[in-house]
Amino acid sequence: MALFVQKYGGTSVGSIERIQQVADRIIHTIQQGHRVVVVVSAMAGETNRLTELALQITDTPSAREHDVLVTAGEQVSIALLSIALISRGYSAVSMLADQAGIKAAGHFGNARIESINTQVIEEHLQHNRIVIVAGFQGRDIEQNLISLGRGGTDTTAVAVAAAIEADECQIFTDVDGVYTTDPRLVKCAQKLSEVTFEEMFELASCGAKVLHRRSVELAGKYHVPLRVLSSFSPTNSDIQQSGTLITSSVTRHTELDQRVSKQKVAMENKKITGITASENEAMIVFDLPAVPQTEVFDLLSVLTEQDIELDMLSHEASFTHESTVAAIRFVIKTKDLPTALSLLQQYTEKNKLFSGQVMQVSDSVAKISVVGVGMRSHAGVITAVLKRLARQQIPVLLASATEIKVSVIIDKRYMELAVNALHEEFALNAEQSIKL
Amino acid sequence: MALFVQKYGGTSVGSIERIQQVADRIIHTIQQGHRVVVVVSAMAGETNRLTELALQITDTPSAREHDVLVTAGEQVSIALLSIALISRGYSAVSMLADQAGIKAAGHFGNARIESINTQVIEEHLQHNRIVIVAGFQGRDIEQNLISLGRGGTDTTAVAVAAAIEADECQIFTDVDGVYTTDPRLVKCAQKLSEVTFEEMFELASCGAKVLHRRSVELAGKYHVPLRVLSSFSPTNSDIQQSGTLITSSVTRHTELDQRVSKQKVAMENKKITGITASENEAMIVFDLPAVPQTEVFDLLSVLTEQDIELDMLSHEASFTHESTVAAIRFVIKTKDLPTALSLLQQYTEKNKLFSGQVMQVSDSVAKISVVGVGMRSHAGVITAVLKRLARQQIPVLLASATEIKVSVIIDKRYMELAVNALHEEFALNAEQSIKL
């Protein structure tokens, strides 16, 4: 009889009817003999509704007060879910951040959980109460309400699971698991029954929207088994056979394997777990004649100091008899592009370092990443990626590789073609798996 | 340079436009050199919207969780008001019950404030911040959120004003003050510029809806001068010349007096401050043959134990040679009538005490109350009331008098006639005051 943390997002509690279904699902888990702590988001649309009210007053609402405003959304949903459980005869108790002992620190709107004092949660569990915790919020050292930013409710769920040493943290969402790639791009994308934290972290970083990467990082750090599953499946389905389990060690198999068990040995050699594609990328290329390397990195630090993340940074230099000619390439999120361009311009104007520099910006690129822990023991993944893309006549603008990930930047218009080709190349298609 | 507590109700913060106006009004007060603590209700309609959500789940939502649910409404309005003030360049900070140190106790949905630890509020005031406190909510000894019930935000405002020793607690509402009677019933009802706490308590108890009687009681107990004024008047009007001031000692005068000062002496002798009328009353009459008095009160305690308030209780007994014949009359609120009748029936069936009893219920009655501290030094107010009603041919079904109040029960259809007649009788009409 396990201790589970279950997280329900905004869509899962988006209406009274959906809240009733969540209550049914929790009760089903309780009836199986488990104990449950639930972490809940605001009802779908509520956070936007509240933010809209603030924006009617000013374009730049006070960050502290904006957090007070939006966290009211979770207060409503924990109360409604508790009311639903209690009305069915179950003992439930809602807890706000301070009641659940959730201490956070950092910037308003983007805090990190510092600690959770689990004493009160554990007392409630000992009294067989279902504990319903408000996601997305904490209290700072001065008792200010402070929100955790995007994906904050997932983070709360993982942090609570780590703190109470739950057997599993179950993230109920509007998809039924993690797929080999985006099923909207590749028709025969397959659901994975297990992935590792490392793979999931790369998948989340590269645009798979199922989980926020902060929550994956936290789960990996504290070894909290994390399960992603659908809140739209029948409320009495067997949780531990559903969705995708994200864990430290994986017996590699897909849903299909469970049906075709004789294929299992072949599958266990699978190099690649999944492929992600992201369109929200912009590539910046600097051609820099005769500039010392330290000053190049000075320039880049102008961006990183403003929390603009540089991805796939590459730096090439060639030496002629007269000077060093260098090229710098990197990728940033398109949302950061206007700020980045204005910062770079200010810097170069002020420092007059780069006369003769040429800066090119491509904002119509896509980033394709091929992820898998199996890569470690299989050399040549990057070669296979580049070869296959060449065969499809897709020019690669930039490529990089880490231990478990190969990423390429290509023109956006080739994105779907590239993902489908690579999905086939690495035998992720359902039909192919059987044929292997 | 005074310290004010300003309370804004749901209508006053019912839209972003109204919140902006409240911000203007607060800033005007600050610009006059005052310091301000603001206490705010949920936006009009919000508490009902949230309660409706709970009622879609169950007719009897958990009281604890219902409090968690509805108090989210005040969290939204304090944040929005703070955002509005900060966006205009003023330093403001919102405070929830626990942040403002508001401890409450009692039943969920109907708690009483136990104490306020003003340390943090006072620190903010010392830093010249406008403090925006969530009304209607407290935290109990176990840190549960607990609401103060009807009129709760007024109560918060008065309690905060008492705790920080404010110079005045200003209740901004949708009327511009306390009137001699309901202006919808009597065309020439006059606004009072001052009334005493005792009078206001009686007026609030007898159906004047401007203030909840609990907040008046609290203000009287802690000698907090209380001003009722309109949040619809121009935002730059002079607060201390507006509305009605409720205070311990009154220099009796009306708005009219201020214009016609030579009439002042006459007015200071005014016996009566105001007249209230309430239709939500039901009268119960028991004719009880041969019952010992103790058992009669036993019967009544069945009602009071269920928190049903008995008003204007009268007990008459006449002795014949065989037995005591008694009549009991009292008034309850019509909302309590179904419960009261079922309790009385259960009791009498179970105890079989009152064979031969006759119980009459009149739920088409009105209660008219004439209130004024001046009554103390003017005998004969009750006689004047009864005489005038007789002259108008209005039968009085029950009458009672306290030191500063005379109440009568009459048939509902005479209500308007009675209030107008008594308003004239006690020289409260504007025209008459001048003629005095």
Side-chain angles (χ1 to χ4, degrees):
Chain A
M1 305 301 93
L3 172 58
F4 292 145
V5 171
Q6 296 190 337
K7 179 259 172 176
Y8 294 94
T11 319
S12 307
V13 294
S15 67
I16 295 300
E17 196 193 342
R18 301 281 295 129
I19 288 173
Q20 303 272 32
Q21 285 163 12
V22 167
D24 289 341
R25 192 179 296 278
I26 294 166
I27 289 169
H28 178 71
T29 313
I30 294 289
Q31 284 170 342
Q32 305 293 100
H34 306 302
R35 289 174 302 154
V36 182
V37 174
V38 184
V39 178
V40 194
S41 300
M43 294 171 78
E46 183 64 3
T47 309
N48 285 347
R49 184 184 75 86
L50 294 170
T51 297
E52 267 309 309
L53 289 175
L55 291 176
Q56 283 177 44
I57 298 173
T58 168
D59 290 339
T60 53
S62 149
R64 176 189 190 274
E65 300 303 335
H66 191 265
D67 274 0
V68 174
L69 180 68
V70 293
T71 53
E74 283 75 25
Q75 184 166 333
V76 168
S77 52
I78 58 172
L80 290 174
L81 181 54
S82 303
I83 285 169
L85 288 164
I86 295 166
S87 76
R88 284 161 163 74
Y90 288 80
S91 189
V93 61
S94 71
M95 302 189 80
L96 294 164
D98 66 296
Q99 295 167 331
I102 301 174
K103 287 276 170 209
H107 296 292
F108 288 111
N110 196 27
R112 286 183 170 269
I113 293 180
E114 294 260 287
S115 67
I116 300 185
N117 179 343
T118 59
Q119 194 191 334
V120 183
I121 294 181
E122 277 165 0
E123 277 171 24
H124 286 308
L125 286 173
Q126 275 158 23
H127 287 89
N128 291 315
R129 294 187 189 118
I130 306 165
V131 178
I132 315 289
V133 177
F136 181 67
Q137 62 180 242
R139 288 292 187 108
D140 73 9
I141 198 167
E142 288 175 320
Q143 287 300 318
N144 293 305
L145 258 171
I146 185 162
S147 84
L148 308 180
R150 282 178 63 84
T153 304
D154 288 352
T155 310
T156 304
V158 172
V160 168
I164 63 172
E165 297 177 357
D167 295 294
E168 208 170 282
C169 179
Q170 299 165 344
I171 309 286
F172 286 87
T173 175
D174 47 3
V175 298
D176 64 349
V178 180
Y179 277 74
T180 48
T181 192
D182 186 339
R184 285 167 305 182
L185 289 179
V186 179
K187 231 176 50 194
C188 47
Q190 281 188 85
K191 196 178 82 181
L192 296 158
S193 56
E194 290 184 34
V195 298
T196 65
F197 288 119
E198 291 162 282
E199 289 169 328
M200 193 61 216
F201 182 72
E202 295 291 359
L203 293 171
S205 302
C206 297
K209 291 188 194 69
V210 180
L211 284 177
H212 196 274
R213 63 179 183 178
R214 246 165 77 189
S215 55
V216 178
E217 186 184 17
L218 200 62
K221 187 170 167 191
Y222 292 102
H223 305 287
V224 177
L226 200 57
R227 187 180 293 277
V228 174
L229 62 186
S230 169
S231 66
F232 289 86
S233 66
T235 52
N236 60 354
S237 35
D238 183 349
I239 286 172
Q240 290 180 287
Q241 296 300 322
S242 307
T244 301
L245 182 66
I246 304 150
T247 180
S248 306
S249 65
V250 163
T251 313
R252 171 74 60 217
H253 53 84
T254 63
E255 289 239 310
L256 204 67
D257 299 320
Q258 293 166 11
R259 299 199 302 273
V260 192
S261 61
K262 58 182 172 173
Q263 300 296 339
K264 191 155 180 181
V265 180
M267 293 305 287
E268 277 174 358
N269 289 322
K270 197 149 64 81
K271 293 189 279 281
I272 301 304
T273 308
I275 299 174
T276 66
S278 159
E279 292 184 284
N280 307 315
E281 315 283 340
M283 184 173 69
I284 297 179
V285 180
F286 274 111
D287 287 319
L288 302 164
V291 169
Q293 220 171 7
T294 51
E295 287 180 1
V296 170
F297 289 105
D298 227 32
L299 174 76
L300 297 178
S301 70
V302 168
L303 300 179
T304 52
E305 273 165 17
Q306 295 302 311
D307 281 339
I308 294 175
E309 220 171 306
L310 307 184
D311 190 23
M312 298 181 70
L313 182 73
S314 96
H315 178 244
E316 305 144 22
S318 66
F319 302 89
T320 68
H321 66 286
E322 280 190 354
S323 65
T324 306
V325 178
I328 305 260
R329 288 156 209 263
F330 56 88
V331 173
I332 61 175
K333 297 284 167 205
T334 42
K335 72 170 171 53
D336 292 331
L337 190 56
T339 315
L341 293 181
S342 119
L343 287 169
L344 289 174
Q345 191 167 357
Q346 275 169 38
Y347 181 85
T348 52
E349 272 171 16
K350 196 171 143 203
N351 294 275
K352 288 182 184 140
L353 283 172
F354 304 116
S355 60
Q357 75 192 8
V358 181
M359 184 171 83
Q360 286 175 288
V361 176
S362 315
D363 58 358
S364 62
V365 297
K367 180 172 130 185
I368 314 290
S369 297
V370 169
V371 174
V373 285
M375 225 182 265
R376 284 179 186 144
S377 48
H378 289 79
V381 169
I382 190 162
T383 322
V385 169
L386 296 176
K387 265 191 184 162
R388 180 64 190 244
L389 294 177
R391 215 174 91 201
Q392 308 291 145
Q393 301 188 294
I394 300 170
V396 172
L397 308 177
L398 185 59
S400 74
T402 69
E403 224 187 355
I404 68 161
K405 181 179 70 166
V406 170
S407 298
V408 293
I409 297 293
I410 58 173
D411 193 295
K412 200 179 278 191
R413 71 191 127 145
Y414 300 122
M415 186 172 86
E416 196 166 338
L417 178 61
V419 174
N420 275 282
L422 294 171
H423 203 262
E424 188 196 65
E425 179 68 29
F426 292 105
L428 296 170
N429 289 4
E431 296 79 6
Q432 286 188 313
S433 311
I434 298 175
K435 280 182 222 142
L436 266 183
Chain B
M1 306 303 89
L3 172 58
F4 292 145
V5 171
Q6 297 190 336
K7 179 260 174 175
Y8 294 94
T11 319
S12 306
V13 294
S15 67
I16 295 298
E17 196 193 344
R18 301 282 294 131
I19 288 173
Q20 303 272 33
Q21 285 165 12
V22 167
D24 289 340
R25 192 178 296 278
I26 294 166
I27 289 169
H28 178 72
T29 313
I30 295 288
Q31 285 171 341
Q32 306 291 101
H34 306 303
R35 289 174 302 154
V36 183
V37 174
V38 184
V39 178
V40 194
S41 300
M43 294 170 79
E46 184 62 5
T47 308
N48 286 346
R49 183 184 76 86
L50 293 169
T51 297
E52 267 310 308
L53 288 175
L55 291 176
Q56 284 178 41
I57 298 173
T58 169
D59 290 340
T60 52
S62 148
R64 178 190 189 274
E65 300 302 335
H66 192 265
D67 273 1
V68 175
L69 180 68
V70 294
T71 52
E74 283 75 25
Q75 184 166 332
V76 168
S77 52
I78 59 172
L80 290 173
L81 182 54
S82 302
I83 286 170
L85 288 164
I86 294 165
S87 76
R88 284 162 163 74
Y90 288 80
S91 189
V93 60
S94 72
M95 302 189 80
L96 294 164
D98 66 297
Q99 296 167 330
I102 301 174
K103 288 274 169 210
H107 296 291
F108 288 110
N110 196 26
R112 287 182 169 268
I113 292 180
E114 293 258 288
S115 68
I116 300 185
N117 179 343
T118 59
Q119 195 192 329
V120 183
I121 295 180
E122 278 166 0
E123 276 170 25
H124 286 308
L125 287 173
Q126 275 158 24
H127 288 88
N128 291 314
R129 294 187 190 118
I130 305 166
V131 178
I132 315 289
V133 177
F136 183 67
Q137 61 180 241
R139 288 289 188 109
D140 73 9
I141 199 166
E142 288 175 322
Q143 286 302 320
N144 293 305
L145 258 171
I146 187 164
S147 84
L148 307 179
R150 281 177 65 84
T153 304
D154 288 353
T155 310
T156 304
V158 171
V160 168
I164 62 173
E165 298 179 356
D167 295 295
E168 209 170 281
C169 179
Q170 299 164 345
I171 309 286
F172 286 86
T173 175
D174 47 3
V175 298
D176 64 348
V178 180
Y179 277 74
T180 49
T181 192
D182 186 340
R184 287 168 303 183
L185 289 178
V186 178
K187 228 175 50 193
C188 47
Q190 280 188 86
K191 197 177 81 183
L192 297 158
S193 55
E194 292 186 31
V195 299
T196 65
F197 288 118
E198 292 162 280
E199 288 168 330
M200 193 62 216
F201 182 72
E202 294 291 0
L203 292 170
S205 304
C206 296
K209 289 185 196 75
V210 181
L211 285 176
H212 195 274
R213 63 181 182 178
R214 246 165 76 189
S215 55
V216 178
E217 186 183 16
L218 199 62
K221 188 169 164 192
Y222 291 101
H223 305 287
V224 177
L226 199 58
R227 188 180 293 276
V228 174
L229 61 186
S230 170
S231 66
F232 290 85
S233 65
T235 51
N236 60 354
S237 34
D238 182 350
I239 287 172
Q240 290 181 285
Q241 296 299 320
S242 306
T244 300
L245 182 66
I246 304 149
T247 181
S248 306
S249 66
V250 163
T251 316
R252 171 72 60 217
H253 53 84
T254 64
E255 290 239 312
L256 205 70
D257 299 321
Q258 292 166 12
R259 300 197 302 269
V260 193
S261 61
K262 58 183 177 173
Q263 301 295 344
K264 189 152 180 185
V265 180
M267 292 305 288
E268 279 173 357
N269 289 323
K270 198 150 64 85
K271 292 190 281 279
I272 301 304
T273 308
I275 299 174
T276 67
S278 159
E279 290 185 287
N280 308 316
E281 315 281 341
M283 184 173 70
I284 297 180
V285 181
F286 274 110
D287 285 320
L288 302 164
V291 169
Q293 218 169 7
T294 53
E295 289 180 0
V296 170
F297 288 104
D298 226 31
L299 174 74
L300 297 179
S301 70
V302 167
L303 300 179
T304 52
E305 274 164 17
Q306 294 301 311
D307 282 340
I308 295 176
E309 219 171 309
L310 307 184
D311 189 27
M312 298 182 69
L313 182 73
S314 96
H315 179 244
E316 306 144 24
S318 65
F319 302 89
T320 67
H321 64 287
E322 279 189 356
S323 65
T324 306
V325 177
I328 306 262
R329 290 158 204 261
F330 56 87
V331 174
I332 61 175
K333 297 285 168 205
T334 42
K335 73 171 168 58
D336 292 331
L337 190 56
T339 315
L341 292 181
S342 121
L343 286 169
L344 289 173
Q345 193 168 355
Q346 276 169 37
Y347 182 87
T348 52
E349 273 171 16
K350 193 170 144 201
N351 293 277
K352 289 183 179 138
L353 284 171
F354 305 116
S355 61
Q357 75 192 9
V358 180
M359 183 171 81
Q360 287 175 287
V361 178
S362 315
D363 58 0
S364 62
V365 298
K367 180 172 130 185
I368 313 290
S369 298
V370 169
V371 173
V373 285
M375 225 181 260
R376 286 179 185 142
S377 49
H378 289 82
V381 169
I382 190 162
T383 323
V385 169
L386 296 175
K387 263 191 182 162
R388 180 63 191 248
L389 293 177
R391 216 175 91 201
Q392 307 290 144
Q393 300 188 295
I394 300 171
V396 171
L397 308 177
L398 185 58
S400 75
T402 68
E403 225 188 353
I404 68 161
K405 180 179 72 166
V406 170
S407 297
V408 294
I409 296 293
I410 58 173
D411 192 294
K412 200 179 278 192
R413 72 191 127 147
Y414 300 123
M415 185 173 84
E416 194 165 339
L417 178 61
V419 174
N420 274 282
L422 293 172
H423 203 263
E424 187 195 66
E425 180 69 27
F426 292 105
L428 296 170
N429 288 6
E431 297 78 6
Q432 286 189 315
S433 309
I434 299 176
K435 282 183 221 138
L436 265 185

